[in-house]
Amino acid sequence: MSVMTKTIAEETGGQIYQPLLCKIGSKRVLTPLETLFRIELPEGRELGHRPGQFVQVSILGYGEAPISISSSPTRKGYFELGVRNAGTLTGAMHELKEGDKIGIRGPFGTFFDAEKLAGKDLVLIAGGCGLAPMRSLIQYCEDRPSEFGKLTILYGAKTPGDRLYKEDLVEWGNSNTFACNYAVDGVPDGACFDEGQVGLITVLIPPLSLDVQNTVAVIVGPPVMYKFVIAELKKKGLTEEQIVVSLERYMKCGVGKCGHCAIEHLYCCIDGPVFWLNEISGIRGAI
Amino acid sequence: MKRATTQELKTFFESLGTDYDLRAPVKLHDGTRVLGGLDEGPLALEGGKIPQKPTSVFFPQFDEVFMVSKDGQFHAAEPVKKPIFVVGFTAQDLDCLEFIDKFFSENYRDDIYFNKRDGAVLVGVSGKCGKDGEFLKIAGGKCDIELISDGECFIVHPHTDKGKALVESLKASECGCGGVKMETLKEESDALPKDDEETIDKASELIRAGKVPDDFWNEIATRCIACTSCNLACPTCTCFEVYDREQDGKMVRQRIWDSCQLDGFMREASGHNPAGLQMQRTHRRIHHKLAADVERWGHRTCMLCGRCDDVCPTDIGIKSVCKEIVERYS
Ligand SMILES: Cc1cc2nc3c(=O)[nH]c(=O)nc-3n(C[C@H](O)[C@H](O)[C@H](O)COP(=O)(O)OP(=O)(O)OC[C@H]3O[C@@H](n4cnc5c(N)ncnc54)[C@H](O)[C@@H]3O)c2cc1C
Ligand code: SF4
Ligand code: SF4
Ligand code: FES
């Protein structure tokens, strides 16, 4: 059930809806639609998050939106957000410049629990924007590889141009820490893709050779992806106790009050977004 | 215990006005009973539950989340100037408030709600003062003071130390019956029919046991016009939406009640909508209170206040839906 990690609200006197103004340290364009923002807390403070958690980002007059933290807590002095321009708030965010201020609340939600994953072989499966939260766990593994067994990354995107964190993908692919397998659904005319397969992300699963007893799979992606990826993993012999998912729901408050993110008796913002599959398997509409 | 007339209670409430922000049932000139100040209309303790949910005193339809001054700094909503003194909760309303107190305090404590709720004085109303002479269940607690009507006057029963201290300044005669009147009223309260409780608990059981098929929800859903009245009237509905607006040259973030009966309630940026069908939303409205909340909080969160059945234009409030469930599936 819900976890309550320390949030920066403790520094705003327990006012849970009040953002803390933080500085945009730098911006990097990821795709025509997506930008990576590096955020710095005042006075060099750390956000104190765990991989898989999210923050609520505010720009006054434009509102607030939940955004996954895309960097590992092992990288000090900043945290990163990979943001898709999808509407009012995220659009306004893209207009901001380095040095501008942005409101942050959090960190919120459950996380990929490094203690429970310790010693395991991990298959990290990300689809599309799901690479944003997954990147925090990938970076964590990159910085502390000895805590885990064999590390495999599977990443799928619609087209080569839609792939996020292209430089990271190359770096992870070249490192000895990870075995990386990438796929794209299709390659438009004139584009090329020689870093992996063409097909849905599920094509990457059957060829994997897994130590079934000692493997945990972590899945983050668009809603349609889960059912098919889970089915492939089950064919490989993984059970629901060995699968971790991160779910996205419309979230307005992040603190279990506004009701928008409810999945039956669970609130995705405080009981999730990260769940072990067996915690939610009987719940209608969860996957 | 003291026994007071409506006039004596009015004088008592007026005397508290300097220390408290008073809200009591008053009758507006169009005949509506609302929670308001004594200057807004005559005190109207009789007539049963207030049509609007009384929990709105602490969780109003619009509320300020924070304000941002011109220099860009965030300012929390001002603390309330005086504690709230609210009269008019029925026993069921007090059950609802008890739940939302728990809801807003657990996990993250909702400081905006407790800004109003902390220090508030609650006055319940029960006995022979319901609509058309209906007997209102005696709460027997969950409030600071309970006003129990014997048909002519109100027996003033303080339940807390704060209530006792306040009632000392009430100018009214002692009841003088040696507790006999209260005994009789309690007996009458205990003898109130429990059919609604039995029906809703049975319906809750059937839903939880998976005995209510999707066809049923589909059928009820076709009768819902998504007017959202059920949510807006319900004292245990707590969902809200948040938005920013300019007010007097300052930027204010506000929250406003929201409704799970609206198509866009759960729609995500990607277009994915886990509650995109009316059937899913109708299911949620009932399932949430009778099954999901039982799982989460250990009890159902419909306290049978009756408001959603009163306001639903197509007669699919929770009581009627539960009746249908029990008739068809048990
Ligand atoms: C846990 C979580 C993590 C997320 N992580 C990321 C991330 O790392 N990067 C990223 O780019 N996006 C992420 N999102 C999605 C992001 O929150 C939405 O794109 C954003 O809320 C859209 O807001 P907007 O003001 O720009 O759009 P709007 O103009 O408000 O709306 C555009 C569309 O977005 C929907 N929407 C509005 N508010 C929300 C909301 N709070 N939650 C979901 N949908 C909403 C609307 O229904 C509408 O369909 C995440 C969402 C969740 C729940
Ligand atoms: S009767 Fe209707 S309005 Fe009253 S608590 Fe139950 S669901 Fe809410
Ligand atoms: S009051 Fe009745 S018609 Fe209106 S949204 Fe609720 S169930 Fe539907
Ligand atoms: S986002 Fe408000 S309850 Fe989860």
Side-chain angles (χ1 to χ4, degrees):
Chain A
M1 273 281 226
S2 50
V3 277
M4 307 281 298
T5 53
K6 194 173 169 216
T7 72
I8 49 185
E10 287 168 35
E11 285 152 35
T12 49
Q15 281 144 359
I16 59 172
Y17 300 109
Q18 203 166 317
L20 182 70
L21 279 178
C22 299
K23 194 177 93 177
I24 297 180
S26 63
K27 265 175 90 176
R28 174 155 68 94
V29 173
L30 296 175
T31 72
L33 266 186
E34 281 117 352
T35 300
L36 184 70
F37 294 83
R38 185 171 279 201
I39 316 279
E40 293 161 12
L41 260 64
E43 293 136 29
R45 293 205 305 265
E46 298 295 336
L47 181 62
H49 69 288
R50 314 276 291 265
Q53 289 194 294
F54 67 95
V55 287
Q56 288 282 356
V57 176
S58 268
I59 305 176
L60 256 296
Y62 296 90
E64 196 173 42
I67 303 290
S68 308
I69 302 158
S70 206
S71 59
S72 165
T74 47
R75 316 264 162 119
K76 301 292 181 192
Y78 64 87
F79 65 95
E80 288 177 330
L81 306 174
V83 182
R84 169 175 292 182
N85 184 345
T88 316
L89 183 276
T90 49
M93 214 176 151
H94 277 74
E95 300 295 313
L96 294 179
K97 298 181 295 296
E98 288 174 8
D100 284 349
K101 292 282 168 65
I102 191 157
I104 298 288
R105 291 193 298 128
F108 294 126
T110 52
F111 43 84
F112 304 118
D113 193 339
E115 278 166 30
K116 285 198 188 137
L117 301 178
K120 304 280 182 203
D121 290 352
L122 301 183
V123 185
L124 309 176
I125 309 170
C129 271
L131 192 56
M134 189 67 95
R135 183 173 176 260
S136 67
L137 180 59
I138 296 175
Q139 285 189 345
Y140 187 94
C141 295
E142 197 177 17
D143 294 347
R144 299 185 176 175
S146 62
E147 288 184 16
F148 308 97
K150 200 169 91 186
L151 295 165
T152 306
I153 299 173
L154 310 184
Y155 178 53
K158 280 208 182 84
T159 71
D162 290 319
R163 301 162 85 227
L164 293 176
Y165 305 107
K166 291 185 198 75
E167 293 158 31
D168 291 330
L169 291 170
V170 173
E171 188 196 313
W172 299 331
N174 290 335
S175 86
N176 295 326
T177 310
F178 303 105
C180 296
N181 300 304
Y182 304 141
V184 292
D185 299 354
V187 183
D189 291 344
C192 80
F193 182 64
D194 53 12
E195 295 155 60
Q197 299 187 45
V198 177
L200 297 176
I201 191 165
T202 40
V203 303
L204 301 175
I205 298 172
L208 294 176
S209 79
L210 303 179
D211 169 5
V212 174
Q213 297 309 317
N214 195 43
T215 297
V216 171
V218 181
I219 317 172
V220 197
V224 302
M225 192 182 105
Y226 290 91
K227 246 200 319 253
F228 300 106
V229 169
I230 290 167
E232 287 298 330
L233 291 171
K234 285 187 174 169
K235 276 190 218 158
K236 282 285 200 189
L238 292 193
T239 64
E240 299 197 336
E241 287 76 22
Q242 292 172 284
I243 299 175
V244 178
V245 296
S246 175
L247 301 182
E248 186 175 317
R249 284 293 181 278
Y250 184 98
M251 289 184 187
K252 216 60 228 193
C253 72
V255 289
K257 305 296 182 217
C258 76
H260 286 274
C261 71
I263 311 173
E264 299 218 330
H265 66 287
L266 299 173
Y267 288 91
C268 199
C269 63
I270 53 174
D271 303 320
V274 176
F275 296 96
W276 287 84
L277 188 56
N278 61 320
E279 294 175 322
I280 53 167
S281 58
I283 297 180
R284 192 187 167 120
I287 295 283
Chain B
M1 260 179 291
K2 289 179 180 173
R3 182 166 175 269
T5 62
T6 302
Q7 184 53 47
E8 285 165 342
L9 287 168
K10 184 172 180 236
T11 312
F12 171 57
F13 297 152
E14 277 166 349
S15 74
L16 296 170
T18 42
D19 296 332
Y20 290 95
D21 174 1
L22 182 84
R23 321 277 177 91
V26 293
K27 196 169 254 174
L28 301 181
H29 48 255
D30 67 357
T32 324
R33 282 169 74 238
V34 297
L35 284 183
L38 292 173
D39 52 347
E40 291 176 56
L43 184 62
L45 293 171
E46 270 136 22
K49 64 175 181 290
I50 313 285
Q52 194 186 34
K53 54 177 170 187
T55 46
S56 65
V57 168
F58 307 119
F59 176 56
Q61 185 165 12
F62 300 92
D63 214 353
E64 183 176 317
V65 177
F66 58 74
M67 187 269 286
V68 180
S69 49
K70 293 222 168 68
D71 58 2
Q73 293 302 310
F74 297 97
H75 302 275
E78 293 273 307
V80 292
K81 294 195 178 62
K82 293 180 195 176
I84 294 173
F85 186 106
V86 53
V87 187
F89 279 69
T90 64
Q92 291 80 6
D93 293 344
L94 290 168
D95 289 340
C96 291
L97 184 68
E98 182 182 50
F99 169 66
I100 72 165
D101 279 351
K102 182 163 76 172
F103 174 84
F104 279 120
S105 69
E106 286 219 350
N107 300 311
Y108 295 93
R109 188 179 152 89
D110 190 292
D111 49 294
I112 308 174
Y113 176 83
F114 286 102
N115 181 17
K116 299 179 192 60
R117 181 68 182 86
D118 284 340
V121 178
L122 295 175
V123 181
V125 177
S126 59
K128 297 182 178 175
C129 60
K131 199 174 168 204
D132 307 322
E134 187 198 354
F135 192 98
L136 300 180
K137 184 181 160 192
I138 296 177
K142 300 189 181 175
C143 56
D144 296 292
I145 302 169
E146 187 166 4
L147 306 175
I148 306 156
S149 168
D150 60 14
E152 290 163 14
C153 291
F154 289 90
I155 297 175
V156 182
H157 192 339
H159 291 303
T160 62
D161 290 343
K162 191 157 60 172
K164 282 189 191 110
L166 285 163
V167 165
E168 273 176 27
S169 71
L170 165 67
K171 292 194 183 64
S173 52
E174 286 298 316
C175 185
C177 71
V180 178
K181 263 205 181 105
M182 259 318 287
E183 272 312 304
T184 335
L185 288 166
K186 272 209 187 103
E187 276 166 25
E188 195 167 342
S189 177
D190 291 342
L192 285 171
K194 306 230 166 9
D195 311 13
D196 284 350
E197 275 91 344
E198 281 160 18
T199 307
I200 200 169
D201 287 333
K202 182 76 204 162
S204 162
E205 220 179 281
L206 291 166
I207 297 170
R208 284 164 48 84
K211 298 267 169 64
V212 186
D214 282 355
D215 283 352
F216 175 79
W217 300 115
N218 251 322
E219 217 181 292
I220 302 293
T222 56
R223 284 151 66 186
C224 175
I225 58 164
C227 69
T228 75
S229 304
C230 48
N231 294 142
L232 304 185
C234 178
T236 61
C237 275
T238 44
C239 292
F240 60 82
E241 180 59 56
V242 181
Y243 61 96
D244 294 352
R245 65 183 282 247
E246 229 179 286
Q247 191 176 304
D248 311 324
K250 285 175 292 197
M251 195 55 84
V252 184
R253 179 161 293 171
Q254 292 188 314
R255 66 178 178 191
I256 179 173
W257 295 343
D258 204 349
S259 166
C260 61
Q261 297 307 292
L262 294 172
D263 177 47
F265 186 73
M266 291 190 86
R267 194 187 309 122
E268 293 152 33
S270 60
H272 174 239
N273 190 351
L277 304 173
Q278 183 60 50
M279 187 273 264
Q280 292 166 323
R281 300 191 287 274
T282 295
H283 175 265
R284 170 178 166 135
R285 173 170 68 91
I286 309 286
H287 181 277
H288 198 98
K289 301 226 192 273
L290 302 189
D293 277 346
V294 177
E295 191 70 36
R296 189 170 190 95
W297 305 99
H299 58 82
R300 63 172 149 83
T301 55
C302 167
M303 307 303 178
L304 289 166
C305 80
R307 287 184 179 82
C308 59
D309 285 273
D310 289 351
V311 296
C312 179
T314 66
D315 279 336
I316 49 168
I318 203 163
K319 284 193 208 178
S320 4
V321 173
C322 286
K323 233 172 104 197
E324 258 181 83
I325 290 177
V326 173
E327 277 163 13
R328 288 165 65 173
Y329 302 108
S330 54

